[in-house]
Amino acid sequence: MSMLVYDDVREAIRTKGRPFSLLLGNGFSMSYAPTIFTYNALHGFIERLDNPVLRALFQVVGTHDFEKVMQQLETFASLCDALGLKGGLKERILEAAEDLKRSLIDAIRALHPEHVYTIPESKCDACAAFGQVANFL
């Protein structure tokens, strides 16, 4: 999937009948709900999955940070290339990386509110305040 530029996103939003999602980033999410949009909360989602490989990867790397685990997997895959390793090792690493990406997306979807009408007014105010600060920067 390629990343859309701002004008493409605006056009997608205007298009009727087409489902879309817009990820604003962790700063915005933290303004919405600082207790659920943390690495620990996202990692809790991984702990509940029936995927022992992903759980083991987080334990081996010693973090709850998805990005650090992903970086380690990418480095390991590159090392396989550099060392000329043959067989299924690199494929297993890349499969784990894809599982990790998919799990992160699933976790974010599960934690984010479904639509604006499920967000309490106080949370909307926190998001608006974040937007004002972001516009100032």
Side-chain angles (χ1 to χ4, degrees), residues 109-121:
R109 281 184 181 153
L111 293 172
H112 270 267
E114 185 176 346
H115 54 75
V116 69
Y117 301 112
T118 62
I119 301 174
E121 191 66 34

Side-chain angles (χ1 to χ4, degrees), residues 53-67:
V53 171
L54 288 184
R55 287 195 306 270
L57 290 173
F58 280 93
Q59 288 176 345
V60 168
V61 178
T63 186
H64 290 174
D65 185 335
F66 280 74
E67 293 164 359

Side-chain angles (χ1 to χ4, degrees), residues 3-76:
M3 186 176 294
L4 298 174
V5 296
Y6 180 74
D7 289 335
D8 294 337
V9 172
R10 287 185 60 178
E11 183 60 31
I13 291 170
R14 279 191 225 121
T15 305
K16 301 257 187 216
R18 178 177 173 210
F20 68 91
S21 297
L22 177 63
L23 179 63
L24 296 175
N26 199 41
F28 184 84
S29 298
M30 290 297 289
S31 291
Y32 167 70
T35 58
I36 64 173
F37 293 111
T38 63
Y39 285 127
N40 287 339
L42 293 171
H43 183 264
F45 188 86
I46 290 292
E47 288 296 316
R48 292 185 296 275
L49 291 178
D50 185 26
N51 190 325
V53 171
L54 288 184
R55 287 195 306 270
L57 290 173
F58 280 93
Q59 288 176 345
V60 168
V61 178
T63 186
H64 290 174
D65 185 335
F66 280 74
E67 293 164 359
K68 287 183 180 178
V69 175
M70 183 60 64
Q71 182 181 28
Q72 293 292 326
L73 290 169
E74 290 171 359
T75 299
F76 196 19

